[in-house]
Amino acid sequence: MEQAGASLGKPRDTKGGRATRRELFARALAAAGGLSALALTREGLAKEPAILDRPDDWAPGNALERMRRDLERALAKPMEKRKWVMVIDLEKCIGCKACTVSCVAENNLPPGVVYRPVVEEERGEFPHVRKRFIPRPCMHCDNPPCTPVCPVGATWKRPDGIVAVDYDACIGCRYCLSACPYNARTADFGEFYTEGLAEGSEAFAGPRASGYETRPSFEYGKEWRRTPGSHASPMGNARKCQFCLHRIENHLLPACVTTCLGGATYFGDFNDPESLVHELVGSSRMMRLKEELGTEPSVFYLA
Amino acid sequence: MNKGVKTCLWAAWIVLAAVAAYGLGERAVAGKELANYGSYVPWGLWVSTYIYFIGLSAGAFLLSSMVYVFGVKSLARVGRLALFTAAVTLGMALFSIWMDLGHMWRAYEVLTRPNFHSMMAWMVWLYTGYFLLILAELWFELRCDLATRAAAGGALAPLYRLLSLGWTCPTDAAELQACHQQSLRVLRRLGALGIPLAIAFHGGVGALFATLSARPYWHSGLFPILFLTGALVSGGALLLCLVSLLGAGGSEREQKELRVFLARLVLVLLVFDVILEWAEVSIPLWYGVGSEVGLWKEILFGHYGYVFWVFHLGLGVVVPLALLLKGQASRFATGLAGLLVATTFLAVRLNIVIPPQTEPHLRGLAEAYSDARLRFEYVPSLFEWAVVAAVVAAGMAVFWLGLRLLPLLNGEGPEEDAAQTVSSEPVAVAASSESAGDAAEREGSAEPSDPDAPPAIQASPA
């Protein structure tokens, strides 16, 4: 997905000079492979011209490429100097749920555990009805209500802004689940999608799927293996989105960012004024969920 | 105890134990797969039973403090029983919440790596202190009896020696009196220490919920007070039920006085609790506007409205109030009223824990991702009830053992006790050497025709 995304709207021939906005637009349209790409580029031009106008060495129009470079710059800094944030453009989200699925695949999430559902909101009355899609990852609040409640300090706010969970310490009391005002934490009840199915009884959910389920995940940079009959972590734990910390530390953007068909999800270091997310957070369309609670989420929405 | 009641209790225990075997077996093998709660309703029946039992414990303990700290003579006979009830129900509460943990064997971490910002960590530390305090109080209260029984020999002598921690009862009258005076002083201090502890931990259970700003229904300053009142009502009602069922020693007149006193106490507390509850219900509902209106309407008139109207208001308030107002003199009426208030208080706890979790924080979240664990609905599964049956069966078993083995029902008021023990010491020794079960049996069945209490009752040390 990253490669596909990287080709969207990228000018192939700049001939050493700066392309005009009109040329860029035409090239972007020509290079667009589908409606999602069209949406990304058009929105980029119409709403966030700054993204495309930058004359720097990054490829104009390519938000993913820019975010990758932002990521590299951020990783070159000490952890406490970074502040990871996510920006989600609701005008661009097409509700495909690719982010939800890629997150499940990336983290090998079992039944009942979801890090990034997409909430659908319907407004208006017929014939003036409009749908809006609101992806809801963990908000990684600057003032998280979920961390101080943990009786054993198994969840905390890292210096880089990510709210992490120590799976080896979590006792599974689910107090943090109750404390989160976004329902962003889920509990791993030790279940398997293929549980109870006879070996090979289903072509698509037999041993192959079972193998998928027991494949390790690499959350927080460790190898976590879920095996039926075992109660080992992360089974029994509270689980949540960690901005794909294991990917970030390996110089990769979070799975939901790279797989977003509409190019609606942005990620980067808010402490870097040159970063794309820093620019987007300054938008007049910026809002955060339940701002009134004072949780100071690190996930921003462009409404 | 009436033979019919005894048979019923045995039958109930056997049924509970059978169901418990299923529940514990499933819990050990399949974990919590058969539990109906999930990630959006993360706390279910077991958390409700936890706060229910912990309320019973705090209530029973606070009543015991009235004996040891404030010297309330009317309650003197239930001091030991109240302490032991507090210990057993505390154990039931902790058993219940232990079953609820995703990693049961990591529970010790709350002691080894506590996060004192968390109300839950405070709870565990306070419970630990509270449990040790109850054990200390019980030991000082029973040490003379235990030492006497250990000295009397018999098959259970090693057990009594162990429970008395090798302590020996002085034989000299003056020394014995000094020893009792010391016990009284220690009990008064421990009881005094226990009052803020019990208030802190049970008010703290309320705060455990109330501090969560994410849930407006819980996020109320009244919650800790409501929890304390609830504890006193339910704990007091349990003691009233036990006293009516088992008796508490003394003549029939004395027993009746005790029952009437407890009945009036429960009556007043119940009325006060209803007033607080009225405040909790009426304020958010008064103008019909606000974030809690829908939730309260669901509690009162939704699918599970019967939990409030039938179990809580009907069987837990109206019927007991009528019984307590009209039938204070009747052992059956006070016993039934106590039983109803104490058992149906679980409905109050369920209505505290479950409904606020059934409201999504974000509208549309319920439909965003389909999974059985991601629903904003909850009804306890049979498996969950089976685990609760295990908790109740275990509690009943420990309570029964306590009644059989420990002199819980022949406690006297600390003040008169100290004076009487010296003069009747030989009787105490003789009486203590008999089976505690027999003693309990006899006291429990004291009839009006038996105006004088058994010597052991009069002579037992505090």
Side-chain angles (χ1 to χ4, degrees):
Chain A
M1 290 304 291
E2 274 188 60
Q3 291 309 313
S7 70
L8 299 180
K10 181 178 179 180
R12 293 178 193 283
D13 179 21
T14 57
K15 292 183 179 172
R18 271 176 66 184
T20 64
R21 188 179 297 187
R22 187 182 293 275
E23 284 168 335
L24 272 176
F25 187 37
R27 286 172 190 161
L29 277 180
L35 281 175
S36 58
L38 177 64
L40 170 73
T41 318
R42 192 186 62 213
E43 288 297 323
L45 272 173
K47 306 280 185 184
E48 305 293 344
I51 300 172
L52 298 180
D53 282 351
R54 302 280 306 199
D56 299 326
D57 58 345
W58 54 270
N62 190 336
L64 278 173
E65 186 59 31
R66 182 175 174 189
M67 284 190 282
R68 264 192 221 106
R69 291 176 184 236
D70 291 349
L71 185 70
E72 291 300 333
R73 270 203 313 283
L75 288 173
K77 296 194 289 185
M79 181 170 65
E80 59 278 7
K81 301 278 185 193
R82 308 169 205 146
K83 176 174 166 46
W84 299 121
V85 301
M86 187 171 275
V87 181
I88 301 171
D89 191 336
L90 300 182
E91 287 281 312
K92 289 183 180 174
C93 179
I94 58 172
C96 66
K97 305 196 179 183
C99 55
T100 312
V101 175
S102 66
C103 174
V104 169
E106 175 65 35
N107 296 296
N108 275 342
L109 300 183
V113 179
V114 63
Y115 292 171
R116 191 180 157 110
V118 178
V119 175
E120 295 187 14
E121 191 182 80
E122 197 171 287
R123 287 182 168 189
E125 283 187 24
F126 182 81
H128 302 110
V129 184
R130 191 161 182 186
K131 263 203 165 180
R132 190 162 77 153
F133 306 98
I134 308 169
R136 200 253 31 227
C138 168
M139 297 290 126
H140 295 278
C141 307
D142 285 346
N143 189 16
C146 56
T147 56
V149 302
C150 178
V152 296
T155 181
W156 68 97
K157 177 92 174 162
R158 285 164 45 108
D160 60 3
I162 290 176
V163 174
V165 179
D166 180 350
Y167 284 163
D168 288 327
C170 171
I171 63 170
C173 65
R174 307 182 304 289
Y175 198 13
C176 55
L177 271 71
S178 284
C180 174
Y182 304 98
N183 289 121
R185 285 175 176 249
T186 46
D188 187 335
F189 282 81
E191 292 169 325
F192 291 82
Y193 285 108
T194 52
E195 202 168 23
L197 287 178
E199 191 86 348
S201 63
E202 297 282 345
F204 62 92
R208 259 190 311 156
S210 173
Y212 155 74
E213 291 195 85
T214 53
R215 205 176 64 178
S217 70
F218 299 95
E219 292 175 74
Y220 306 106
K222 280 188 179 178
E223 186 175 316
W224 305 101
R225 211 175 270 278
R226 298 175 83 260
T227 22
S230 147
H231 298 298
S233 290
M235 292 191 279
N237 289 127
R239 301 183 68 176
K240 61 181 280 299
C241 153
Q242 3 70 33
F243 277 165
C244 282
L245 184 57
H246 56 288
R247 284 176 62 94
I248 298 171
E249 286 175 343
N250 284 289
H251 302 258
L252 295 168
L253 290 165
C256 55
V257 177
T258 60
T259 55
C260 180
L261 290 189
T265 304
Y266 305 95
F267 179 80
D269 174 20
F270 185 72
N271 284 349
D272 176 3
E274 296 297 309
S275 68
L276 176 54
V277 287
H278 194 280
E279 206 170 297
L280 293 173
V281 167
S283 165
S284 58
R285 294 161 56 208
M286 192 278 280
M287 47 110 19
R288 292 188 286 187
L289 293 181
K290 301 198 173 197
E291 189 92 69
E292 73 280 5
L293 293 179
T295 53
E296 302 290 335
S298 295
V299 174
F300 299 84
Y301 292 88
L302 299 179
Chain B
M1 193 193 303
N2 183 305
K3 204 167 185 179
V5 174
K6 197 183 249 184
T7 311
C8 284
L9 282 173
W10 270 108
W13 190 83
I14 289 166
V15 172
L16 282 172
V19 177
Y22 155 73
L24 292 182
E26 281 291 349
R27 181 68 183 86
V29 175
K32 298 192 291 185
E33 281 184 30
L34 295 177
N36 273 356
Y37 54 79
S39 291
Y40 291 160
V41 182
W43 287 345
L45 178 65
W46 299 338
V47 172
S48 311
T49 50
Y50 152 69
I51 61 169
Y52 166 67
F53 287 123
I54 211 77
L56 292 179
S57 178
F61 180 82
L62 287 171
L63 286 181
S64 81
S65 296
M66 291 174 75
V67 180
Y68 300 117
V69 183
F70 302 111
V72 176
K73 280 196 158 192
S74 311
L75 287 175
R77 290 184 183 281
V78 288
R80 293 175 176 196
L81 186 67
L83 272 180
F84 190 69
T85 306
V88 173
T89 44
L90 173 67
M92 292 166 83
L94 296 180
F95 186 14
S96 195
I97 201 65
W98 187 55
M99 288 283 123
D100 187 70
L101 291 182
H103 283 282
M104 296 163 73
W105 305 111
R106 291 183 190 167
Y108 70 90
E109 284 186 10
V110 190
L111 294 173
T112 57
R113 46 173 296 170
N115 166 27
F116 283 117
H117 288 293
S118 167
M119 283 309 299
M120 195 180 281
W122 273 107
M123 290 303 90
V124 173
W125 277 74
L126 289 171
Y127 291 150
T128 308
Y130 170 66
F131 186 60
L132 293 175
L133 187 121
I134 293 180
L135 288 184
E137 277 199 54
L138 271 173
W139 188 78
F140 277 102
E141 171 67 280
L142 300 176
R143 64 178 178 172
C144 242
D145 282 357
L146 294 172
T148 310
R149 290 180 180 201
L156 292 175
L159 174 71
Y160 291 123
R161 201 165 297 123
L162 181 72
L163 292 176
S164 65
L165 304 177
W167 191 82
T168 49
C169 198
T171 46
D172 177 70
E175 283 180 25
L176 190 61
Q177 188 171 16
C179 171
H180 287 310
Q181 290 301 336
Q182 185 205 30
S183 288
L184 287 174
R185 274 197 307 275
V186 173
L187 279 167
R188 193 169 295 130
R189 282 173 194 162
L190 288 176
L193 183 67
I195 292 173
L197 197 57
I199 290 174
F201 89 71
H202 202 63
V205 178
L208 189 142
F209 291 90
T211 47
L212 298 184
S213 57
R215 317 260 181 193
Y217 178 89
W218 290 342
H219 198 43
S220 151
L222 196 58
F223 244 52
I225 313 296
L226 205 60
F227 267 64
L228 276 174
T229 316
L232 284 166
V233 174
S234 57
L238 179 63
L239 276 182
L240 176 62
C241 172
L242 289 173
V243 164
S244 303
L245 188 68
L246 303 168
S251 66
E252 180 59 23
R253 186 181 54 80
E254 286 169 319
Q255 289 199 39
K256 192 175 166 186
E257 277 173 10
L258 173 62
R259 283 200 306 273
V260 169
F261 184 86
L262 266 177
R264 285 180 183 163
L265 191 66
V266 171
L267 185 70
V268 171
L269 288 167
L270 191 57
V271 170
F272 183 62
D273 192 58
V274 169
I275 292 169
L276 284 182
E277 212 172 335
W278 168 248
E280 274 284 291
V281 180
S282 62
I283 287 173
L285 276 177
W286 198 257
Y287 293 114
V289 185
S291 60
E292 288 180 57
V293 172
L295 188 56
W296 271 110
K297 283 186 175 168
E298 187 59 34
I299 292 170
L300 299 178
F301 310 112
H303 283 310
Y304 307 108
Y306 64 87
V307 176
F308 180 87
W309 295 106
V310 178
F311 287 101
H312 171 44
L313 206 61
L315 296 174
V317 177
V318 176
V319 176
L321 277 181
L323 287 168
L324 293 174
L325 283 169
K326 293 284 179 191
Q328 280 176 17
S330 156
R331 187 166 165 168
F332 175 77
T334 53
L336 183 62
L339 180 72
L340 282 173
V341 174
T343 51
T344 60
F345 220 79
L346 181 59
V348 177
R349 301 312 193 195
L350 281 167
N351 268 342
I352 285 174
V353 175
I354 313 298
Q357 301 178 83
T358 57
E359 281 209 327
H361 288 313
L362 301 171
R363 198 172 296 165
L365 194 56
E367 295 78 32
Y369 195 85
S370 293
D371 192 283
R373 301 276 178 211
L374 299 173
R375 289 181 305 147
F376 288 91
E377 294 161 12
Y378 172 73
V379 179
S381 65
L382 281 177
F383 158 68
E384 287 170 78
W385 283 111
V387 170
V388 172
V391 174
V392 176
M396 283 173 78
V398 174
F399 199 83
W400 179 79
L401 278 174
L403 286 179
R404 296 289 297 176
L405 299 174
L406 301 173
L408 298 175
L409 295 174
N410 54 353
E412 254 298 351
E415 286 171 19
E416 57 186 309
D417 182 35
Q420 286 178 354
T421 309
V422 180
S423 59
S424 55
E425 185 212 338
V427 188
V429 174
S432 298
S433 63
E434 72 183 353
S435 151
D438 294 344
E441 189 84 9
R442 195 180 52 201
E443 290 146 23
S445 58
E447 294 300 326
S449 57
D450 177 21
D452 298 320
I457 297 165
Q458 301 297 331
S460 170

